[in-house]
Amino acid sequence: MDELESSELGTQTYWQEAYKKEIANFDEHGDPGDVWFGEDSACRVIDWICNCGVAKDTAIIDLGCGNGYTLQKLSEEGFSNLLGVDYCMEAITLAEKVSKEEFPDIKYKVFDITTGNLEDLGCKFGLVHDKGTYDAISLNPNNPKEQREKYIQQVVDMLDDKGLFVITSCNWTSDELVNQFSDRLRLRRVIPTPQFKFGGKVGSVVSSVVFEK
Ligand SMILES: C[S@@+](CC[C@H](N)C(=O)[O-])C[C@H]1O[C@@H](n2cnc3c(N)ncnc32)[C@H](O)[C@@H]1O
């Protein structure tokens, strides 16, 4: 399988600089920052999670949580056991600032998914969520295949038996995601996303796929 062409979005320096600016924006204007891939794609996933039968006290982790948007939405829906991790201290600082008033129960932690020790997370998870983080890891200029492999194994190891992994990507199609994860996880659902047709081929701008351990 071909790897993606590497990009600065695959480097930690890029995200550190981006979140430094977002912290300054939040401090100055109260702007919490980007919703990656737009609110519609986040809403589709949150709706699916709300209706899939997962208990409200299920341990949920958001990988590469950024400003914590997904966890804040899940908290609004009544989910109570929420942890966000990101390898940028700046992202965690921003997420904590944004969540502080309304969502004080969401926990955040600096953690690198590809190298972190899973015992530091304190438990296994009934639901693991990712929006855009596997994408960033896939763009790493240093051996992206190895980074992706490490990520996939960490996700498998942090899931409870029968736990769900919900991933949204704009770089990989749902078929490619199934191809990359289905050695170790079972496909549960491809969440329908709007499609476009060009030159006789049908495609989606983002793919959201659910796997089960
Ligand atoms: C495209 S942003 C998505 C942020 C957030 N998930 C969202 O949807 O708003 C990718 C995020 O992945 C984080 N990230 C990239 N590689 C990571 C790694 N190895 N471990 C933890 N976080 C990582 C970045 O710091 C960044 O916050």
Side-chain angles (χ1 to χ4, degrees), residues 83-153:
L83 171 67
V85 295
D86 203 291
Y87 71 171
C88 290
M89 165 64 91
E90 293 80 358
I92 296 304
T93 302
L94 176 64
E96 284 175 344
K97 278 175 180 264
V98 176
S99 296
K100 195 172 154 200
E101 300 294 332
E102 265 188 272
F103 310 102
D105 295 334
I106 302 176
K107 297 188 185 68
Y108 294 103
K109 190 176 175 61
V110 177
F111 185 82
D112 185 327
I113 299 146
T114 55
T115 58
N117 179 352
L118 295 187
E119 283 178 15
D120 293 346
L121 298 177
C123 67
K124 293 210 173 201
F125 297 89
L127 193 144
V128 175
H129 174 267
D130 174 330
K131 175 159 64 72
T133 301
Y134 182 66
D135 283 350
I137 286 169
S138 305
L139 297 171
N140 193 312
N142 299 316
N143 204 342
K145 185 171 192 307
E146 190 186 324
Q147 305 291 328
R148 290 193 302 100
E149 281 295 319
K150 283 186 187 163
Y151 171 100
I152 294 169
Q153 193 56 50

Coordinates of all heavy atoms in Angstrom, one line a residue, residues 83-153:
L83 N -11.7 11.1 28.7 CA -10.3 11.5 28.8 C -9.8 11.9 27.4 O -10.0 11.2 26.4 CB -9.4 10.3 29.2 CG -7.9 10.4 29.2 CD1 -7.4 11.5 30.2 CD2 -7.2 9.1 29.4
G84 N -9.1 13.0 27.3 CA -8.5 13.5 26.0 C -7.0 13.4 26.2 O -6.5 13.9 27.2
V85 N -6.4 12.9 25.1 CA -4.9 12.9 25.1 C -4.4 13.5 23.9 O -5.0 13.4 22.8 CB -4.3 11.5 25.3 CG1 -4.6 10.9 26.6 CG2 -4.7 10.6 24.1
D86 N -3.2 14.2 24.0 CA -2.6 14.8 22.8 C -1.1 14.9 23.2 O -0.7 15.0 24.3 CB -3.1 16.2 22.6 CG -2.9 16.7 21.2 OD1 -1.8 16.9 20.8 OD2 -3.9 16.8 20.4
Y87 N -0.3 14.8 22.1 CA 1.2 14.8 22.4 C 1.7 16.3 22.5 O 2.8 16.5 22.9 CB 2.0 14.0 21.4 CG 2.2 14.4 20.0 CD1 3.1 13.8 19.2 CD2 1.5 15.5 19.4 CE1 3.3 14.1 17.9 CE2 1.6 15.8 18.1 CZ 2.6 15.1 17.3 OH 2.8 15.5 16.0
C88 N 0.8 17.3 22.3 CA 1.2 18.7 22.5 C 0.7 19.2 23.8 O -0.5 19.2 24.0 CB 0.6 19.6 21.4 SG 1.4 19.3 19.8
M89 N 1.6 19.6 24.7 CA 1.2 20.2 25.9 C 0.3 21.4 25.6 O -0.7 21.7 26.3 CB 2.5 20.7 26.7 CG 2.3 21.6 27.8 SD 1.3 20.9 29.1 CE 2.6 20.3 30.1
E90 N 0.6 22.1 24.5 CA -0.2 23.3 24.2 C -1.7 23.0 23.9 O -2.6 23.7 24.2 CB 0.4 24.0 22.9 CG 1.8 24.6 23.2 CD 2.9 23.6 23.1 OE1 2.7 22.4 22.9 OE2 4.1 24.1 23.3
A91 N -1.9 21.8 23.2 CA -3.3 21.4 23.0 C -4.0 21.1 24.3 O -5.2 21.5 24.5 CB -3.3 20.1 22.1
I92 N -3.3 20.5 25.2 CA -3.9 20.1 26.5 C -4.2 21.4 27.3 O -5.3 21.5 27.9 CB -3.0 19.1 27.3 CG1 -2.8 17.8 26.5 CG2 -3.5 18.9 28.7 CD1 -4.1 17.1 26.2
T93 N -3.3 22.3 27.2 CA -3.5 23.6 27.9 C -4.8 24.3 27.3 O -5.7 24.7 28.1 CB -2.3 24.6 27.7 OG1 -1.2 23.9 28.3 CG2 -2.5 25.9 28.4
L94 N -4.9 24.3 26.0 CA -6.1 24.9 25.3 C -7.4 24.1 25.7 O -8.4 24.8 26.1 CB -5.9 24.9 23.8 CG -7.1 25.4 23.0 CD1 -7.4 26.9 23.3 CD2 -6.9 25.2 21.5
A95 N -7.3 22.8 25.6 CA -8.5 22.0 26.0 C -8.9 22.3 27.4 O -10.1 22.4 27.7 CB -8.2 20.5 25.7
E96 N -8.0 22.3 28.3 CA -8.3 22.6 29.7 C -8.9 24.0 29.9 O -9.9 24.1 30.7 CB -7.1 22.4 30.6 CG -6.7 21.0 30.8 CD -5.4 20.7 31.5 OE1 -4.6 21.7 31.7 OE2 -5.2 19.6 32.0
K97 N -8.4 24.9 29.2 CA -8.9 26.3 29.3 C -10.4 26.3 28.8 O -11.3 26.9 29.4 CB -8.1 27.3 28.5 CG -6.8 27.8 29.2 CD -6.1 28.7 28.2 CE -4.8 29.2 28.8 NZ -5.0 30.6 29.3
V98 N -10.6 25.7 27.6 CA -11.9 25.7 27.0 C -12.9 25.0 27.8 O -14.1 25.4 27.9 CB -11.9 25.1 25.5 CG1 -13.2 25.1 24.9 CG2 -10.9 25.9 24.6
S99 N -12.5 23.9 28.5 CA -13.4 23.0 29.2 C -13.7 23.5 30.7 O -14.7 23.1 31.3 CB -12.9 21.6 29.3 OG -12.8 21.0 28.0
K100 N -12.8 24.3 31.2 CA -12.8 24.6 32.6 C -14.1 25.0 33.2 O -14.5 24.4 34.2 CB -11.8 25.8 32.8 CG -11.4 26.0 34.2 CD -10.2 27.0 34.3 CE -10.2 27.7 35.6 NZ -9.5 29.0 35.6
E101 N -14.8 25.9 32.6 CA -16.1 26.4 33.2 C -17.2 25.4 33.1 O -17.8 25.0 34.1 CB -16.5 27.7 32.6 CG -15.5 28.9 32.7 CD -15.3 29.3 34.1 OE1 -16.3 29.2 34.9 OE2 -14.2 29.8 34.4
E102 N -17.4 25.0 31.8 CA -18.6 24.2 31.6 C -18.5 22.7 31.7 O -19.4 21.9 32.0 CB -19.1 24.4 30.1 CG -20.2 25.5 30.0 CD -20.7 25.5 28.6 OE1 -20.1 26.2 27.7 OE2 -21.6 24.8 28.3
F103 N -17.2 22.2 31.5 CA -17.0 20.7 31.5 C -15.8 20.4 32.4 O -14.8 19.8 32.0 CB -16.7 20.3 30.1 CG -17.7 20.8 29.1 CD1 -17.4 21.8 28.2 CD2 -18.9 20.1 29.0 CE1 -18.3 22.3 27.3 CE2 -19.9 20.6 28.0 CZ -19.6 21.7 27.2
P104 N -15.9 20.7 33.7 CA -14.8 20.5 34.6 C -14.4 19.0 34.8 O -13.3 18.7 35.3 CB -15.2 21.2 35.9 CG -16.7 21.2 35.8 CD -17.1 21.3 34.4
D105 N -15.3 18.1 34.5 CA -15.1 16.7 34.7 C -14.3 16.0 33.6 O -13.8 14.8 33.8 CB -16.4 15.9 35.0 CG -17.1 16.4 36.2 OD1 -16.4 16.9 37.1 OD2 -18.3 16.3 36.3
I106 N -14.1 16.6 32.5 CA -13.3 16.0 31.4 C -11.9 16.0 31.8 O -11.4 17.1 32.3 CB -13.5 16.7 30.1 CG1 -15.0 16.8 29.7 CG2 -12.7 16.0 29.0 CD1 -15.2 17.6 28.4
K107 N -11.2 14.9 31.7 CA -9.8 14.8 32.1 C -8.9 14.9 30.8 O -9.3 14.4 29.7 CB -9.4 13.5 32.8 CG -10.2 13.4 34.1 CD -9.7 12.1 34.8 CE -10.5 11.9 36.0 NZ -11.8 11.5 35.7
Y108 N -7.8 15.6 30.9 CA -6.8 15.7 29.8 C -5.4 15.3 30.2 O -5.1 15.6 31.4 CB -6.8 17.2 29.3 CG -8.2 17.6 28.6 CD1 -9.0 18.4 29.4 CD2 -8.5 17.2 27.4 CE1 -10.3 18.8 28.8 CE2 -9.7 17.6 26.8 CZ -10.6 18.4 27.5 OH -11.8 18.8 27.0
K109 N -4.7 14.8 29.3 CA -3.3 14.3 29.6 C -2.4 14.4 28.4 O -2.9 14.1 27.3 CB -3.5 12.9 30.0 CG -2.3 12.2 30.6 CD -2.6 10.8 31.0 CE -1.4 10.1 31.5 NZ -0.7 10.7 32.7
V110 N -1.2 14.9 28.6 CA -0.2 14.8 27.5 C 0.2 13.4 27.3 O 0.6 12.7 28.3 CB 1.0 15.7 27.9 CG1 2.1 15.6 26.8 CG2 0.6 17.2 28.1
F111 N 0.1 12.9 26.1 CA 0.4 11.5 25.9 C 0.6 11.3 24.4 O -0.2 11.7 23.5 CB -0.8 10.6 26.3 CG -0.6 9.1 26.2 CD1 0.1 8.4 27.2 CD2 -1.0 8.4 25.1 CE1 0.3 7.1 27.1 CE2 -0.8 7.0 25.0 CZ -0.2 6.4 26.1
D112 N 1.8 10.7 24.0 CA 2.1 10.4 22.6 C 1.5 9.0 22.3 O 2.0 8.0 22.9 CB 3.6 10.5 22.4 CG 3.9 10.3 20.9 OD1 3.2 9.5 20.2 OD2 4.9 10.9 20.4
I113 N 0.6 8.9 21.4 CA -0.1 7.6 21.1 C 0.9 6.6 20.6 O 0.8 5.4 20.9 CB -1.2 7.8 20.1 CG1 -2.2 8.7 20.7 CG2 -1.9 6.5 19.8 CD1 -2.9 9.5 19.7
T114 N 1.9 7.0 19.8 CA 2.8 6.0 19.2 C 3.8 5.5 20.1 O 4.3 4.4 19.9 CB 3.4 6.6 17.9 OG1 4.1 7.8 18.3 CG2 2.4 6.8 16.8
T115 N 4.2 6.3 21.2 CA 5.3 5.8 22.1 C 4.8 5.7 23.5 O 5.6 5.2 24.3 CB 6.4 6.9 22.0 OG1 5.9 8.1 22.4 CG2 7.0 7.0 20.6
G116 N 3.7 6.2 23.9 CA 3.3 6.2 25.3 C 3.0 4.9 25.9 O 2.7 3.9 25.2
N117 N 3.2 4.8 27.2 CA 3.0 3.5 28.0 C 1.5 3.5 28.4 O 1.0 4.4 29.1 CB 3.9 3.5 29.2 CG 3.7 2.3 30.1 OD1 2.8 1.5 29.8 ND2 4.5 2.1 31.0
L118 N 0.8 2.5 27.9 CA -0.7 2.5 28.1 C -1.1 2.4 29.6 O -2.2 2.8 29.9 CB -1.3 1.3 27.3 CG -1.2 1.4 25.8 CD1 -2.0 0.2 25.2 CD2 -1.7 2.7 25.2
E119 N -0.2 1.9 30.4 CA -0.5 1.8 31.8 C -0.7 3.2 32.4 O -1.4 3.4 33.4 CB 0.6 1.1 32.6 CG 0.5 -0.4 32.4 CD 1.6 -1.2 33.0 OE1 2.3 -0.6 33.9 OE2 1.7 -2.4 32.7
D120 N 0.0 4.2 31.8 CA -0.2 5.6 32.3 C -1.6 6.2 32.0 O -2.0 7.2 32.6 CB 0.8 6.6 31.5 CG 2.3 6.2 31.9 OD1 2.5 5.5 32.9 OD2 3.2 6.7 31.1
L121 N -2.4 5.5 31.2 CA -3.8 6.0 31.0 C -4.7 5.5 32.0 O -5.8 5.9 32.1 CB -4.2 5.5 29.6 CG -3.4 6.0 28.4 CD1 -3.9 5.4 27.1 CD2 -3.5 7.5 28.3
G122 N -4.3 4.5 32.8 CA -5.0 4.1 34.0 C -6.1 3.0 33.8 O -6.6 2.4 34.8
C123 N -6.6 2.8 32.6 CA -7.6 1.8 32.4 C -7.7 1.5 30.9 O -7.0 2.2 30.1 CB -9.0 2.3 32.9 SG -9.6 3.6 31.9
K124 N -8.5 0.5 30.6 CA -8.8 0.2 29.1 C -10.1 1.0 28.8 O -10.7 1.5 29.7 CB -8.9 -1.3 28.9 CG -7.6 -2.0 29.1 CD -7.5 -3.2 28.2 CE -6.2 -3.8 28.2 NZ -5.9 -4.6 27.1
F125 N -10.4 1.1 27.5 CA -11.5 1.9 27.1 C -12.6 1.2 26.4 O -12.3 0.3 25.6 CB -11.0 3.1 26.3 CG -10.0 3.9 27.1 CD1 -8.7 3.7 27.1 CD2 -10.5 5.0 27.8 CE1 -7.8 4.4 27.9 CE2 -9.7 5.8 28.6 CZ -8.3 5.5 28.6
G126 N -13.8 1.5 26.6 CA -15.0 0.9 25.9 C -15.2 1.6 24.6 O -15.8 1.0 23.7
L127 N -14.6 2.8 24.4 CA -14.7 3.5 23.2 C -13.5 4.4 23.0 O -13.1 5.2 23.9 CB -16.0 4.4 23.1 CG -16.3 4.9 21.7 CD1 -17.8 4.9 21.5 CD2 -15.8 6.3 21.4
V128 N -12.8 4.2 21.8 CA -11.7 5.0 21.5 C -12.1 5.9 20.3 O -12.6 5.3 19.3 CB -10.5 4.1 21.1 CG1 -9.3 5.0 20.6 CG2 -10.0 3.3 22.4
H129 N -11.9 7.2 20.3 CA -12.3 8.1 19.3 C -11.1 8.8 18.6 O -10.1 9.1 19.4 CB -13.2 9.1 19.8 CG -13.6 10.2 18.7 ND1 -12.9 11.4 18.6 CD2 -14.5 10.2 17.8 CE1 -13.4 12.1 17.6 NE2 -14.4 11.4 17.1
D130 N -11.1 8.9 17.3 CA -10.0 9.7 16.6 C -10.6 10.5 15.5 O -11.3 9.9 14.7 CB -9.0 8.7 16.1 CG -7.9 9.4 15.2 OD1 -8.2 10.4 14.6 OD2 -6.8 8.9 15.2
K131 N -10.3 11.8 15.5 CA -10.7 12.6 14.3 C -9.5 13.3 13.9 O -9.0 14.3 14.6 CB -11.9 13.5 14.6 CG -12.2 14.4 13.4 CD -13.6 15.0 13.5 CE -13.8 15.9 14.7 NZ -13.2 17.2 14.6
G132 N -8.8 12.9 12.8 CA -7.7 13.6 12.2 C -6.4 13.3 12.8 O -5.3 13.8 12.3
T133 N -6.3 12.5 13.8 CA -5.0 12.2 14.4 C -4.2 11.1 13.7 O -3.0 11.2 13.4 CB -5.2 11.9 15.9 OG1 -5.8 13.0 16.5 CG2 -3.9 11.6 16.6
Y134 N -4.9 10.0 13.3 CA -4.3 9.0 12.5 C -3.8 9.6 11.2 O -2.8 9.3 10.6 CB -5.3 7.8 12.3 CG -4.7 6.7 11.5 CD1 -3.7 5.9 12.0 CD2 -5.3 6.4 10.2 CE1 -3.2 4.8 11.2 CE2 -4.8 5.3 9.5 CZ -3.7 4.5 10.0 OH -3.3 3.5 9.2
D135 N -4.6 10.6 10.7 CA -4.2 11.3 9.5 C -2.9 12.0 9.7 O -2.0 11.9 8.9 CB -5.3 12.4 9.1 CG -6.5 11.8 8.5 OD1 -6.5 10.7 8.1 OD2 -7.5 12.6 8.3
A136 N -2.8 12.7 10.8 CA -1.5 13.5 11.1 C -0.4 12.5 11.2 O 0.7 12.7 10.7 CB -1.7 14.3 12.4
I137 N -0.6 11.4 11.9 CA 0.5 10.4 12.1 C 0.9 9.8 10.7 O 2.1 9.5 10.5 CB 0.0 9.3 13.1 CG1 0.0 9.9 14.5 CG2 0.8 8.0 13.0 CD1 -0.7 9.1 15.5
S138 N -0.1 9.6 9.8 CA 0.2 9.1 8.5 C 1.1 10.0 7.7 O 1.6 9.6 6.6 CB -1.1 8.8 7.7 OG -1.9 8.0 8.5
L139 N 1.1 11.3 8.1 CA 1.8 12.3 7.3 C 3.2 12.6 7.8 O 4.0 13.4 7.4 CB 1.1 13.7 7.3 CG -0.3 13.6 6.6 CD1 -1.0 14.9 6.9 CD2 -0.2 13.4 5.1
N140 N 3.6 11.8 8.9 CA 4.9 11.9 9.5 C 6.0 11.7 8.5 O 6.0 10.8 7.8 CB 5.0 10.9 10.7 CG 6.1 11.2 11.6 OD1 7.3 11.4 11.2 ND2 5.9 11.1 12.9
P141 N 7.0 12.7 8.5 CA 8.1 12.5 7.5 C 9.0 11.4 7.9 O 9.8 10.9 7.0 CB 8.8 13.9 7.6 CG 7.9 14.8 8.4 CD 7.0 14.0 9.2
N142 N 9.0 10.9 9.1 CA 9.9 9.8 9.5 C 9.1 8.5 9.6 O 8.4 8.2 10.5 CB 10.5 10.1 10.8 CG 11.3 11.3 10.8 OD1 12.1 11.6 9.8 ND2 11.2 12.2 11.8
N143 N 9.3 7.6 8.6 CA 8.8 6.3 8.6 C 7.3 6.2 9.0 O 6.9 5.6 10.0 CB 9.6 5.4 9.5 CG 9.5 3.9 9.1 OD1 8.6 3.6 8.4 ND2 10.4 3.1 9.5
P144 N 6.4 6.8 8.2 CA 5.0 6.8 8.5 C 4.4 5.4 8.7 O 3.5 5.2 9.5 CB 4.3 7.6 7.4 CG 5.3 7.5 6.3 CD 6.7 7.5 6.9
K145 N 4.9 4.4 7.9 CA 4.3 3.1 8.0 C 4.5 2.5 9.4 O 3.6 2.0 10.0 CB 5.0 2.2 6.9 CG 4.4 0.8 6.8 CD 4.9 0.1 5.6 CE 4.2 -1.2 5.3 NZ 4.0 -2.2 6.3
E146 N 5.7 2.7 9.9 CA 6.0 2.2 11.2 C 5.2 3.0 12.3 O 4.7 2.4 13.2 CB 7.5 2.4 11.5 CG 8.0 1.7 12.8 CD 9.4 2.1 13.1 OE1 10.2 2.2 12.1 OE2 9.8 2.2 14.3
Q147 N 5.0 4.3 12.1 CA 4.2 5.1 13.0 C 2.7 4.6 13.0 O 2.1 4.5 14.1 CB 4.2 6.6 12.6 CG 5.6 7.2 12.5 CD 6.3 7.3 13.9 OE1 5.6 7.5 14.9 NE2 7.6 7.2 13.9
R148 N 2.2 4.3 11.8 CA 0.8 3.8 11.7 C 0.7 2.5 12.4 O -0.3 2.2 13.1 CB 0.4 3.8 10.2 CG 0.3 5.1 9.5 CD -0.5 4.9 8.2 NE 0.2 4.0 7.3 CZ -0.2 2.8 7.0 NH1 -1.2 2.3 7.7 NH2 0.5 2.0 6.2
E149 N 1.7 1.6 12.2 CA 1.6 0.3 12.8 C 1.6 0.4 14.3 O 0.8 -0.3 15.0 CB 2.9 -0.5 12.4 CG 2.8 -1.1 11.0 CD 1.6 -2.1 10.9 OE1 1.5 -2.9 11.8 OE2 0.9 -2.1 9.9
K150 N 2.4 1.2 14.8 CA 2.5 1.4 16.3 C 1.1 1.9 16.8 O 0.6 1.5 17.8 CB 3.6 2.4 16.7 CG 5.0 1.8 16.6 CD 5.9 2.9 17.2 CE 7.4 2.5 17.0 NZ 8.3 3.6 17.1
Y151 N 0.6 2.9 16.1 CA -0.7 3.5 16.5 C -1.8 2.4 16.5 O -2.5 2.3 17.5 CB -1.1 4.6 15.4 CG -2.5 5.1 15.6 CD1 -2.7 6.3 16.2 CD2 -3.6 4.4 15.1 CE1 -4.0 6.8 16.4 CE2 -4.8 4.9 15.2 CZ -5.1 6.1 15.9 OH -6.3 6.6 16.0
I152 N -1.8 1.6 15.4 CA -2.9 0.6 15.3 C -2.8 -0.4 16.5 O -3.8 -0.7 17.2 CB -2.8 -0.2 14.0 CG1 -3.1 0.8 12.8 CG2 -3.7 -1.4 13.9 CD1 -2.8 0.3 11.4
Q153 N -1.5 -0.8 16.8 CA -1.4 -1.8 17.9 C -1.8 -1.2 19.3 O -2.4 -1.8 20.1 CB 0.1 -2.3 18.0 CG 0.3 -3.5 18.9 CD -0.7 -4.7 18.5 OE1 -0.7 -5.1 17.3 NE2 -1.4 -5.2 19.5

